[in-house]
Amino acid sequence: EAQVTQNPRYLITVTGKKLTVTCSQNMNHEYMSWYRQDPGLGLRQIYYSMNVEVTDKGDVPEGYKVSRKEKRNFPLILESPSPNQTSLYFCASSPLHLANTEAFFGQGTRLTVV
Amino acid sequence: GNSVTQMEGPVTLSEEAFLTINCTYTATGYPSLFWYVQYPGEGLQLLLKATKADDKGSNKGFEATYRKETTSFHLEKGSVQVSDSAVYFCALSSSGGSYIPTFGRGTSLIVHP
């Protein structure tokens, strides 16, 4: 089954404690992206990657890191989380070589930083 | 660059009412247009799409027509149900944007019995 898998689904952590949210896709998609969703602010892009070892900043990259060492994985790293990073996070992937094809999303990770 | 603008929400309707959620876009190249739906507690999933001008996408009673002349892709449903309560996102991808998806901010729909 084609899917994007995020882990964990829920996470409560303390300020300053490094964490990683994993994202994996099984569709051989070139493009992967991280978004955060906050009430009243919609979906905002954090980082994206167009292929292995190619990453770029989105609209709200501060406080986040990513890596793309393998095509299927695109982890999101918060090295020193702060309460303003409390949010709902989504990973997505899509093929860049196929026109007319939709993006696929993970189920989301609800992060609370206290 | 590419961009998508959708109407602000929330949209609040009674069951069986007619729904329209407006979406307009700017794009380089020849965009494909999409509507995604996010049900409570879930990720976004594709609702419908249209890949060329005048195409109509449809699914689950929802429809949207690709209007190149007005650069619009409005979502409609003739009779909404409580189960349609969700957040709806308009999106596009185009050759001019390297097929990177661009999303609108989302419109929350609340349907009351």
Side-chain angles (χ1 to χ4, degrees), chain A residues 42-43, chain B residues 1-9 20-27 33-35 67 70-75 88-93 101-107:
Chain A
L43 208 61
Chain B
N2 293 348
S3 68
V4 174
T5 303
Q6 358 182 168
M7 59 190 291
E8 297 262 342
T20 300
I21 299 178
N22 291 336
C23 171
T24 57
Y25 66 90
T26 58
L33 303 173
F34 306 86
W35 277 101
R67 301 285 188 201
T70 54
T71 61
S72 65
F73 192 55
H74 304 320
L75 183 68
Y88 293 83
F89 292 88
C90 185
L92 69 83
S93 68
T102 300
F103 290 88
R105 290 182 59 167
T107 302

Side-chain angles (χ1 to χ4, degrees), chain A:
Chain A
E1 179 190 358
Q3 60 185 1
V4 177
T5 304
Q6 285 179 237
N7 280 297
R9 290 288 311 277
Y10 302 92
L11 179 59
I12 301 174
T13 191
V14 296
T15 299
K17 185 177 180 182
K18 181 179 178 179
L19 66 92
T20 299
V21 183
T22 64
C23 174
S24 181
Q25 50 97 2
N26 62 0
M27 295 165 281
N28 202 38
H29 288 167
E30 297 89 354
Y31 182 82
M32 297 186 75
S33 181
W34 277 102
Y35 301 87
R36 60 179 289 174
Q37 185 179 26
D38 302 287
L41 297 176
L43 208 61
R44 294 182 293 169
Q45 189 176 49
I46 303 170
Y47 269 95
Y48 65 94
S49 169
M50 294 182 69
N51 216 322
V52 175
E53 303 292 359
V54 180
T55 63
D56 212 342
K57 296 178 180 179
D59 300 317
V60 289
E62 293 77 22
Y64 304 95
K65 284 177 57 176
V66 293
S67 68
R68 188 92 182 271
K69 296 176 182 173
E70 306 165 281
K71 201 170 187 179
R72 64 184 294 122
N73 295 323
F74 191 47
L76 179 69
I77 303 158
L78 285 72
E79 297 219 322
S80 185
S82 62
N84 65 11
Q85 293 178 298
T86 292
S87 186
L88 179 58
Y89 291 86
F90 289 101
C91 180
S93 74
S94 63
L96 291 182
H97 64 282
L98 290 176
N100 312 326
T101 305
E102 68 270 22
F104 292 78
F105 281 79
Q107 288 290 89
T109 296
R110 185 166 291 283
L111 172 66
T112 302
V113 184
V114 299

